[in-house]
Amino acid sequence: MGIMYNEFNKVFHLQAGNTSYVMQVYRDGYLAHLYWGRKIKNINSEELIILKGRTSFSANPDLNDKVFSLDILPQEYPAYGNTDFRTPAYQLQLKNGSTITDLRYESHRIFKGKKVLEGLPATYVENDNEAETLEIELVDSLIGLKVILSYTVFENFNAIARSVRFINYGQENLKLLRALSMSVDFIRDDFDFMHLFGSWARERHIVREALKPGVHQIDSRRGASSHEHNPFIALLSSDCNEEHGEVYGFNLVYSGNFLAQAEINMYKTTRISIGINPFDFSWLLEPGQAFQTPEVVMVYSYEGLGGMSRTYHKLYRTRLCRGEFRDKTRPVLVNNWEATYFKFNAEKIENIAKTAKELGIELFVLDDGWFGKRDNDNCSLGDWVPDKNKLPNGLKDLAKRINDLDMQFGLWFEPEMVSPDSDLYRKHPDWCLHVPNRSRSTARSQLVLDLSREDVCNYIIKSVSDILRTVPISYVKWDMNRNMTEIGSALLPPERQRETAHRYMLGLYKVMEIITSAFPNVLFEGCAGGGGRFDAGILYYMPQIWTSDDTDAVERLKIQYGTSVVYPASTMGAHVSAVPNHQVHRNTSLKMRGDVAMSGNFGYELDLTKFTEEEKEEVKKQVVRYKELRELIQFGDMYRLLSPFEGNETAWMYVSEDKTEAFVAYFRILAEPDAPVRRLTLRGLNPDKTYIVEGKKGVYGGDELMNIGIALPDLQGDYKSAIWKIKAE
Ligand code: DGJ
């Protein structure tokens, strides 16, 4: 690992894990991108940049050079307006109304370790030897604009973390109109574009298509990273599959509006960029002020998508997630949402908890409906006072009773919202996002609190903390159930209204930072109508997220498989729910529901008291099994074997770091008449070790399991699954 700078040809050579990333200060201070890929020992080439004269339709910034144009230079952080016609990484408006800027290299520094991004989530190091950082300072001296491009390379990961800081050191106001976190130009155009697409209950389905000339973009204008598009894209070589081929991944560590795009231009180059969505965004930089972009984590893999995912998984598990639970196995829980919805009382809850205890479950989570007059979703958000009708002896009493069963107690909140029918709203009608004289559109009968305001943030911190301080709570589910409309803040001046959505995120991160650090013993789980804000930003504060409101075992195959492209199993909440399933009304076996949910942070979300004795016995076994496997699943290396996006079968496996243990799960959706016999070839084992496969006779070489594979059982009927534990001899 390391960052090298060659004074002679002004080349920066960054080495992250087994990769190299190369840039050059070119000509009069332009920062050019040269290479990103497999590690190269030394950069000796004299021809790092190939220029080619174009027609007059590519203009020349140097009046004496008819060949040079920024339009043909691969760049690191391009502007628009002075000869590059492609999409820029940033844009500013000056006091005179113009938007032309000209950034040139000024200086750089290289240091060990990685700085904290103040107020924003980001990857981190625990020891300065784990990473090295390069900061390149670009300056437009005419207007007093300084831009610091930051690149951190990790010793043990093929990953680079980039972010950008804008500083106005001039005399006049500058208005940022666009401030993406990165841009890279490739002098090739033969990529596939991959992203994770979906909707509520259908999150993160994999979409892959060949890039075509023009701009291909995904984004969010919803005020959250969203169910629709995850802030992740990848460029893949067309031959790239799970194990082979090249892939470049880009994941924004941010939970708000984002833009990610790839552009193939007329010279068949590909420009890729990601950052805060410039749509409806601007940021006023007064003299002396600075703006920090979120971080983007860029991963290169030549071992296919699987290689990329495992890099993200390990980096996020160990150097994005924080706190006590980062390295701790997560408890098996039962959540009452799908069991009771709003219809419960203390007795019902206690009965479910008692049954849960008998079944070996460790944590009871009380979901929505415990506060205010919340018998439905029309009211009470913001009034975080226990409902005396449902809980006559209070929340503390209920929590204690559950603790007395030797179970932990968890609680649901939706702190960022307010119901118009609430004491909070009646007292502070200006505390929600709104625009004067316009209607305040509701969704699920609720409005979004204006977290760009300090008083609102303080209210949330106090109301949540008061409960966490007085009730013995070990887990919090932090929900968020609508996207933003009429985005405006009562406290911001007109010229800063378009800052509201980003200021909201900064407020949210501050609130999350304060609450999660004040209660380090509480396990926090993020949620947004399921997986509507499943992103690396939230994972910095909360090590796990409710993956989807869709708990159907078949639907979950795609959701969990797609989520695993970037995010590790330890971040995914996965529960067994009742049949017919409440989202898609499908009947699947308890076995398959259990096997699917076991591939994440396992739990149940149904009325356990309604189980037959036989079902209870099965559940007991599932819980025992998960406890025995959870370390491997939550912290092992994941290998995807069969994709639910490509057929009737899905399979994945988790392998311990020392390759002595593995867990394999296989799912078949529909039965096939006169089905062929098949084997399942495994991955990630040690070819030189011998293994015992649970339920199978004899011992198998790792090479045998990875090449010949294991025989799949003859499963009868629809919605079937099989799991195996594998142990080295
Ligand atoms: C949406 C969440 O995703 C569900 O799990 C549940 O907590 C409901 N909200 C409660 O309103």
mmCIF file of all heavy atoms in Angstrom, residues 190-206:
data_model
loop_
_atom_site.group_PDB
_atom_site.id
_atom_site.type_symbol
_atom_site.label_atom_id
_atom_site.label_comp_id
_atom_site.label_asym_id
_atom_site.label_seq_id
_atom_site.Cartn_x
_atom_site.Cartn_y
_atom_site.Cartn_z
ATOM 1 N N ASP A 190 -16.654 -0.022 -23.155
ATOM 2 C CA ASP A 190 -17.234 -1.372 -23.277
ATOM 3 C C ASP A 190 -17.689 -1.908 -21.919
ATOM 4 O O ASP A 190 -17.353 -3.018 -21.534
ATOM 5 C CB ASP A 190 -16.196 -2.311 -23.894
ATOM 6 C CG ASP A 190 -14.874 -2.283 -23.127
ATOM 7 O OD1 ASP A 190 -14.650 -1.334 -22.338
ATOM 8 O OD2 ASP A 190 -14.067 -3.210 -23.303
ATOM 9 N N PHE A 191 -18.446 -1.108 -21.200
ATOM 10 C CA PHE A 191 -18.882 -1.521 -19.863
ATOM 11 C C PHE A 191 -20.360 -1.891 -19.827
ATOM 12 O O PHE A 191 -21.168 -1.365 -20.593
ATOM 13 C CB PHE A 191 -18.723 -0.356 -18.880
ATOM 14 C CG PHE A 191 -17.309 -0.004 -18.539
ATOM 15 C CD1 PHE A 191 -16.790 1.235 -18.903
ATOM 16 C CD2 PHE A 191 -16.516 -0.879 -17.818
ATOM 17 C CE1 PHE A 191 -15.500 1.589 -18.554
ATOM 18 C CE2 PHE A 191 -15.214 -0.527 -17.463
ATOM 19 C CZ PHE A 191 -14.708 0.709 -17.841
ATOM 20 N N ASP A 192 -20.689 -2.731 -18.835
ATOM 21 C CA ASP A 192 -22.088 -2.881 -18.424
ATOM 22 C C ASP A 192 -22.280 -1.970 -17.217
ATOM 23 O O ASP A 192 -21.338 -1.729 -16.451
ATOM 24 C CB ASP A 192 -22.381 -4.324 -17.994
ATOM 25 C CG ASP A 192 -22.512 -5.257 -19.192
ATOM 26 O OD1 ASP A 192 -22.427 -4.768 -20.329
ATOM 27 O OD2 ASP A 192 -22.687 -6.470 -18.968
ATOM 28 N N PHE A 193 -23.493 -1.501 -17.041
ATOM 29 C CA PHE A 193 -23.837 -0.613 -15.931
ATOM 30 C C PHE A 193 -24.755 -1.408 -15.001
ATOM 31 O O PHE A 193 -25.755 -1.969 -15.446
ATOM 32 C CB PHE A 193 -24.571 0.598 -16.512
ATOM 33 C CG PHE A 193 -24.960 1.678 -15.533
ATOM 34 C CD1 PHE A 193 -24.111 2.743 -15.283
ATOM 35 C CD2 PHE A 193 -26.199 1.658 -14.895
ATOM 36 C CE1 PHE A 193 -24.475 3.775 -14.410
ATOM 37 C CE2 PHE A 193 -26.572 2.685 -14.019
ATOM 38 C CZ PHE A 193 -25.710 3.740 -13.786
ATOM 39 N N MET A 194 -24.405 -1.469 -13.733
ATOM 40 C CA MET A 194 -25.247 -2.222 -12.793
ATOM 41 C C MET A 194 -25.736 -1.312 -11.691
ATOM 42 O O MET A 194 -24.993 -0.441 -11.214
ATOM 43 C CB MET A 194 -24.445 -3.369 -12.177
ATOM 44 C CG MET A 194 -25.240 -4.113 -11.128
ATOM 45 S SD MET A 194 -24.298 -5.426 -10.353
ATOM 46 C CE MET A 194 -24.664 -6.742 -11.464
ATOM 47 N N HIS A 195 -26.966 -1.470 -11.293
ATOM 48 C CA HIS A 195 -27.469 -0.742 -10.129
ATOM 49 C C HIS A 195 -28.549 -1.563 -9.444
ATOM 50 O O HIS A 195 -28.952 -2.624 -9.927
ATOM 51 C CB HIS A 195 -27.972 0.645 -10.521
ATOM 52 C CG HIS A 195 -29.115 0.664 -11.470
ATOM 53 N ND1 HIS A 195 -30.371 1.083 -11.127
ATOM 54 C CD2 HIS A 195 -29.199 0.301 -12.764
ATOM 55 C CE1 HIS A 195 -31.170 0.994 -12.170
ATOM 56 N NE2 HIS A 195 -30.491 0.517 -13.175
ATOM 57 N N LEU A 196 -29.013 -1.075 -8.319
ATOM 58 C CA LEU A 196 -29.984 -1.803 -7.509
ATOM 59 C C LEU A 196 -31.274 -1.006 -7.492
ATOM 60 O O LEU A 196 -31.312 0.108 -6.980
ATOM 61 C CB LEU A 196 -29.428 -2.006 -6.087
ATOM 62 C CG LEU A 196 -28.067 -2.707 -6.037
ATOM 63 C CD1 LEU A 196 -27.492 -2.704 -4.623
ATOM 64 C CD2 LEU A 196 -28.178 -4.147 -6.556
ATOM 65 N N PHE A 197 -32.307 -1.588 -8.068
ATOM 66 C CA PHE A 197 -33.540 -0.855 -8.339
ATOM 67 C C PHE A 197 -34.705 -1.497 -7.599
ATOM 68 O O PHE A 197 -34.722 -2.701 -7.396
ATOM 69 C CB PHE A 197 -33.787 -0.908 -9.858
ATOM 70 C CG PHE A 197 -35.131 -0.428 -10.294
ATOM 71 C CD1 PHE A 197 -35.453 0.921 -10.206
ATOM 72 C CD2 PHE A 197 -36.078 -1.311 -10.788
ATOM 73 C CE1 PHE A 197 -36.703 1.374 -10.613
ATOM 74 C CE2 PHE A 197 -37.324 -0.862 -11.204
ATOM 75 C CZ PHE A 197 -37.636 0.483 -11.111
ATOM 76 N N GLY A 198 -35.708 -0.705 -7.246
ATOM 77 C CA GLY A 198 -36.862 -1.322 -6.613
ATOM 78 C C GLY A 198 -37.944 -0.363 -6.222
ATOM 79 O O GLY A 198 -38.096 0.721 -6.796
ATOM 80 N N SER A 199 -38.659 -0.780 -5.218
ATOM 81 C CA SER A 199 -39.814 -0.044 -4.729
ATOM 82 C C SER A 199 -40.020 -0.519 -3.295
ATOM 83 O O SER A 199 -39.279 -1.387 -2.827
ATOM 84 C CB SER A 199 -41.010 -0.428 -5.601
ATOM 85 O OG SER A 199 -42.189 0.073 -5.034
ATOM 86 N N TRP A 200 -41.042 0.006 -2.631
ATOM 87 C CA TRP A 200 -41.366 -0.527 -1.306
ATOM 88 C C TRP A 200 -41.652 -2.030 -1.455
ATOM 89 O O TRP A 200 -42.333 -2.437 -2.405
ATOM 90 C CB TRP A 200 -42.601 0.196 -0.730
ATOM 91 C CG TRP A 200 -43.068 -0.439 0.528
ATOM 92 C CD1 TRP A 200 -42.547 -0.269 1.775
ATOM 93 C CD2 TRP A 200 -44.126 -1.399 0.658
ATOM 94 N NE1 TRP A 200 -43.210 -1.055 2.674
ATOM 95 C CE2 TRP A 200 -44.184 -1.763 2.019
ATOM 96 C CE3 TRP A 200 -45.016 -1.996 -0.236
ATOM 97 C CZ2 TRP A 200 -45.108 -2.684 2.506
ATOM 98 C CZ3 TRP A 200 -45.931 -2.917 0.248
ATOM 99 C CH2 TRP A 200 -45.975 -3.247 1.608
ATOM 100 N N ALA A 201 -41.114 -2.847 -0.587
ATOM 101 C CA ALA A 201 -41.317 -4.305 -0.583
ATOM 102 C C ALA A 201 -40.688 -5.020 -1.785
ATOM 103 O O ALA A 201 -40.952 -6.208 -2.013
ATOM 104 C CB ALA A 201 -42.806 -4.655 -0.493
ATOM 105 N N ARG A 202 -39.879 -4.294 -2.532
ATOM 106 C CA ARG A 202 -39.228 -4.916 -3.705
ATOM 107 C C ARG A 202 -37.863 -4.266 -3.887
ATOM 108 O O ARG A 202 -37.471 -3.905 -4.977
ATOM 109 C CB ARG A 202 -40.139 -4.695 -4.918
ATOM 110 C CG ARG A 202 -39.712 -5.384 -6.152
ATOM 111 C CD ARG A 202 -40.715 -5.378 -7.274
ATOM 112 N NE ARG A 202 -41.609 -4.268 -7.453
ATOM 113 C CZ ARG A 202 -41.296 -3.114 -8.064
ATOM 114 N NH1 ARG A 202 -40.104 -2.896 -8.535
ATOM 115 N NH2 ARG A 202 -42.204 -2.173 -8.202
ATOM 116 N N GLU A 203 -37.153 -4.097 -2.788
ATOM 117 C CA GLU A 203 -35.938 -3.294 -2.817
ATOM 118 C C GLU A 203 -34.739 -4.014 -3.456
ATOM 119 O O GLU A 203 -34.620 -5.226 -3.377
ATOM 120 C CB GLU A 203 -35.527 -2.908 -1.382
ATOM 121 C CG GLU A 203 -36.500 -2.000 -0.648
ATOM 122 C CD GLU A 203 -37.540 -2.749 0.170
ATOM 123 O OE1 GLU A 203 -37.812 -3.921 -0.136
ATOM 124 O OE2 GLU A 203 -38.081 -2.160 1.109
ATOM 125 N N ARG A 204 -33.879 -3.223 -4.046
ATOM 126 C CA ARG A 204 -32.543 -3.627 -4.494
ATOM 127 C C ARG A 204 -32.507 -4.860 -5.411
ATOM 128 O O ARG A 204 -31.747 -5.802 -5.183
ATOM 129 C CB ARG A 204 -31.606 -3.794 -3.289
ATOM 130 C CG ARG A 204 -31.286 -2.443 -2.659
ATOM 131 C CD ARG A 204 -30.537 -2.541 -1.368
ATOM 132 N NE ARG A 204 -31.299 -3.184 -0.321
ATOM 133 C CZ ARG A 204 -32.341 -2.635 0.324
ATOM 134 N NH1 ARG A 204 -32.707 -1.411 0.048
ATOM 135 N NH2 ARG A 204 -32.997 -3.301 1.240
ATOM 136 N N HIS A 205 -33.341 -4.830 -6.418
ATOM 137 C CA HIS A 205 -33.240 -5.850 -7.462
ATOM 138 C C HIS A 205 -32.096 -5.450 -8.399
ATOM 139 O O HIS A 205 -31.945 -4.278 -8.735
ATOM 140 C CB HIS A 205 -34.544 -5.935 -8.254
ATOM 141 C CG HIS A 205 -35.619 -6.678 -7.516
ATOM 142 N ND1 HIS A 205 -36.684 -7.250 -8.150
ATOM 143 C CD2 HIS A 205 -35.774 -6.963 -6.200
ATOM 144 C CE1 HIS A 205 -37.461 -7.855 -7.255
ATOM 145 N NE2 HIS A 205 -36.927 -7.689 -6.061
ATOM 146 N N ILE A 206 -31.346 -6.447 -8.827
ATOM 147 C CA ILE A 206 -30.178 -6.150 -9.654
ATOM 148 C C ILE A 206 -30.597 -5.837 -11.086
ATOM 149 O O ILE A 206 -31.358 -6.597 -11.695
ATOM 150 C CB ILE A 206 -29.201 -7.341 -9.643
ATOM 151 C CG1 ILE A 206 -28.675 -7.564 -8.218
ATOM 152 C CG2 ILE A 206 -28.057 -7.121 -10.628
ATOM 153 C CD1 ILE A 206 -27.805 -8.792 -8.064
#
